[in-house]
Amino acid sequence: MQYKKIGVIGGGTMGQGIAEMLAGKGIDVLLVEENAEKLERAYNMIETSLDKKMEKWAITQAEKKLILSRIHKVTHFAELGTSDMVIETITEDLSLKKEVFHQLDQVCNSNIILASNTSTLSLTELASSTMYPERVIGLHFIYPVSRIDLVEIIRGLKTSDATFENTKTFVEDVVEKKGVMVYESPGFVTSRVICILINEAAHVLQEGVASAEDIDDAMRLGYNFQYGPLEMADRFGLDSVLAALERMFREFGELKYRPSIVLKKMVRAGNLGVKSGEGFFKYDKDGDRV
């Protein structure tokens, strides 16, 4: 199967990363957001990301222009009907995602794979909103998308073997990342493990054991993490981390998934991390630590 044009729904942190990565692989990307303002912001953030790579001599000005030329701003779902695959990356809200998949079902032929970048939600339940649940699959990219060479490929109850094999080929041959197959379970592998680490770091902060900066330095330098757990949470979005923990707490009923009070307070205060400019740490408009 040829993958020349991919639809990406959602221009948040993950959507931006996936769109930039795909365009860098020579694929045309149809980037969709709910309104023109959010779409323009997502496009500008991708351009900022490319500018940072240019500063580090990772790409040239010509390569930047070529990548941007492959990212097409789209506001109507109907345009996604020409895609070879669609990847949904909107917020972790089951009802919103089901509505997106229902709309995709109306405009995409039955042979087009519909993938979700969900980190915790049920692919089986998402697929239930479509007429062809066998073509629905999970493609969980890890932040930062361009640097992490792993994608979780999640099978729902009705995901067909053909859908899985085609998706694995896409991940390993086209995107050139390692694909690991995961059977549906809340949090899959990566989110289930990393959210507990983040939650425990928040508990340590709440108890006054160490400052946020020292907690992150301890884990980043001591265990060779790219980011400490608290900055990692800021970059995922504290609201997304909270939603993931709450869902796993409901599904498993185990106390280790119960979100820390400080995490809940920060989300209630609107301190969501990079997306709001402040979380456990402060960030500028380009997403860099202040």
Side-chain angles (χ1 to χ4, degrees):
M1 186 172 180
Q2 295 290 313
Y3 295 98
K4 295 181 178 178
K5 189 186 294 185
I6 305 287
V8 175
I9 302 176
T13 302
M14 293 304 295
Q16 293 163 23
I18 293 169
E20 180 186 329
M21 179 270 299
L22 291 173
K25 298 290 183 183
I27 298 169
D28 282 314
V29 177
L30 301 180
L31 182 61
V32 184
E33 253 296 358
E34 59 182 341
N35 58 52
E37 183 181 353
K38 287 187 175 181
L39 188 57
E40 195 61 36
R41 182 180 184 279
Y43 189 85
N44 290 339
M45 289 299 288
I46 293 170
E47 187 168 10
T48 298
S49 172
L50 293 172
D51 285 338
K52 289 178 183 177
K53 289 180 179 178
M54 281 178 56
E55 289 171 7
K56 296 175 182 176
W57 299 85
I59 61 172
T60 64
Q61 177 73 29
E63 286 172 323
K64 173 195 166 182
K65 287 183 177 180
L66 189 58
I67 290 169
L68 288 175
S69 72
R70 296 189 184 115
I71 300 174
H72 311 281
K73 292 177 273 189
V74 172
T75 53
H76 300 291
F77 270 53
E79 295 181 53
L80 297 175
T82 60
S83 302
D84 300 310
M85 174 190 282
V86 178
I87 303 172
E88 168 274 313
T89 71
I90 69 169
T91 186
E92 289 287 272
D93 183 305
L94 183 62
S95 59
L96 287 178
K97 285 181 184 286
K98 287 179 75 173
E99 177 57 31
V100 165
F101 274 79
H102 176 69
Q103 290 184 50
L104 288 173
D105 219 31
Q106 314 303 310
V107 298
C108 296
N109 292 332
S110 60
N111 64 318
I112 298 176
I113 293 173
L114 305 183
S116 175
N117 187 56
T118 182
S119 56
T120 57
L121 299 177
S122 166
L123 270 302
T124 301
E125 196 164 353
L126 288 177
S128 70
S129 61
T130 72
M131 292 183 290
Y132 307 102
E134 65 276 4
R135 51 116 166 233
V136 176
I137 197 164
L139 264 184
H140 184 218
F141 290 87
I142 315 297
Y143 178 87
V145 177
S146 62
R147 295 185 207 158
I148 305 299
D149 292 326
L150 176 80
V151 182
E152 288 181 300
I153 306 173
I154 304 101
R155 297 187 68 146
L157 184 63
K158 295 185 177 180
T159 302
S160 69
D161 289 341
T163 296
F164 171 75
E165 292 299 334
N166 284 331
T167 303
K168 188 173 175 64
T169 298
F170 167 73
V171 168
E172 298 193 338
D173 295 349
V174 180
V175 176
E176 297 176 303
K177 294 182 184 291
K178 170 65 177 174
V180 294
M181 186 178 78
V182 180
Y183 288 102
E184 185 177 302
S185 176
F188 315 132
V189 175
T190 55
S191 296
R192 183 170 171 178
V193 174
I194 206 66
C195 281
I196 291 178
L197 174 67
I198 290 169
N199 201 36
E200 194 60 30
H203 281 307
V204 171
L205 178 66
Q206 183 181 316
E207 293 164 15
V209 175
S211 68
E213 189 161 352
D214 284 346
I215 291 167
D216 267 23
D217 282 348
M219 298 307 295
R220 184 173 54 82
L221 299 174
Y223 290 90
N224 201 29
F225 287 9
Q226 183 170 359
Y227 299 112
L230 298 177
E231 182 172 350
M232 204 180 295
D234 281 348
R235 294 187 179 281
F236 291 156
L238 299 191
D239 51 340
S240 297
V241 174
L242 178 60
L245 283 166
E246 287 178 334
R247 184 167 188 85
M248 288 188 285
F249 185 42
R250 285 196 305 271
E251 294 281 351
F252 292 114
E254 296 182 30
L255 290 177
K256 63 183 177 181
Y257 299 110
R258 185 169 66 185
S260 77
I261 298 300
V262 71
L263 181 60
K264 287 184 175 181
K265 282 182 178 178
M266 292 180 76
V267 172
R268 289 169 186 157
N271 294 348
L272 307 181
V274 174
K275 68 174 80 174
S276 66
E278 183 174 359
F280 290 107
F281 304 101
K282 292 185 178 180
Y283 304 86
D284 62 24
K285 62 182 179 63
D286 296 331
D288 294 321
R289 280 269 299 269
V290 174

